[in-house]
């Protein structure tokens, strides 16, 4: 049995095969997922698992270079945004790099998901709890 954090085989494989600048989207339960993008559905019931639980698991195994968020999160979900930005600050210290955060409209965000290697669906039921994590290299 795998010893590291992520036990979900599809998610573990996806992270292990990310290349430099590849995008991995983590979304709430309601974000539309394009049919031609790999869907890794972790949602079980409303808010299980949460967006932040999924984010923490992914960040334990992924080196992140930059992130993309919908600007609407600032007004519609400041609690998730605050926790997310605090976690990214911790990650910067762990990784030894700065992680730029870019904000775009929700419509532009949805278009950007079409270029992700995969989209991971959480059970989160709060608005705009979505992020695209872009893979970096730890050297």
């Amino acid at each position: 049995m795998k010893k590291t954090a992520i036990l979900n085989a599809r998610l573990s494989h996806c992270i292990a095969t990310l290349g430099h600048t590849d995008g991995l989207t983590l979304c709430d339960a309601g974000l539309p997922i394009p049919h031609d993008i790999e869907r890794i559905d972790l949602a079980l019931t409303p808010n299980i698992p949460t967006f932040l639980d999924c984010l923490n698991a992914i960040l334990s195994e992924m080196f992140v270079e930059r992130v993309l968020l919908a600007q609407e999160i600032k007004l519609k979900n400041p609690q998730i945004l605050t926790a997310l930005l605090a976690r990214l600050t911790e990650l910067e210290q762990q990784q030894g790099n700065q992680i730029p955060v870019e904000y775009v409209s929700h419509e532009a965000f949805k278009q950007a998901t079409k270029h992700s290697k995969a989209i991971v669906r959480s059970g989160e039921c709060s608005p705009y709890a979505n992020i695209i994590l872009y893979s970096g290299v730890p050297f």
Side-chain angles (χ1 to χ4, degrees):
M1 182 170 182
K2 189 171 184 226
K3 188 175 177 180
T4 56
I6 296 178
L7 299 177
N8 181 284
R10 289 179 65 202
L11 181 54
S12 181
H13 178 265
C14 180
I15 294 170
T17 58
L18 288 171
H20 186 217
T21 74
D22 282 344
L24 177 63
T25 298
L26 171 60
C27 70
D28 59 32
L31 188 76
I33 298 174
H35 295 290
D36 57 340
I37 303 294
E38 181 180 5
R39 175 192 195 110
I40 302 173
D41 198 336
L42 303 180
L44 182 60
T45 61
N47 297 308
I48 297 177
T50 68
F51 171 81
L52 293 172
D53 287 340
C54 294
L55 179 70
N56 285 326
I58 291 168
L59 295 182
S60 74
E61 296 196 8
M62 181 179 174
F63 192 94
V64 177
E65 180 173 271
R66 65 184 180 94
V67 302
L68 185 68
L69 299 170
Q71 62 192 11
E72 290 85 347
I73 195 172
K74 293 176 184 179
L75 292 176
K76 301 289 186 178
N77 204 341
Q79 184 176 354
I80 291 284
L81 178 60
T82 299
L84 170 60
L85 293 176
R87 182 61 183 97
L88 290 175
T89 297
E90 290 174 13
L91 186 63
E92 287 176 328
Q93 293 170 356
Q94 293 167 354
Q95 293 184 166
N97 69 318
Q98 289 189 334
I99 301 171
V101 177
E102 181 183 353
Y103 296 90
V104 297
S105 72
H106 187 59
E107 287 305 313
F109 182 91
K110 288 190 289 187
Q111 290 300 313
T113 67
K114 294 178 181 181
H115 303 288
S116 290
K117 183 169 185 170
I119 298 179
V120 180
R121 181 175 174 251
S122 72
E124 185 69 40
C125 289
S126 66
Y128 303 102
N130 307 300
I131 189 170
I132 302 177
L133 304 161
Y134 291 95
S135 180
V137 291
F139 54 84

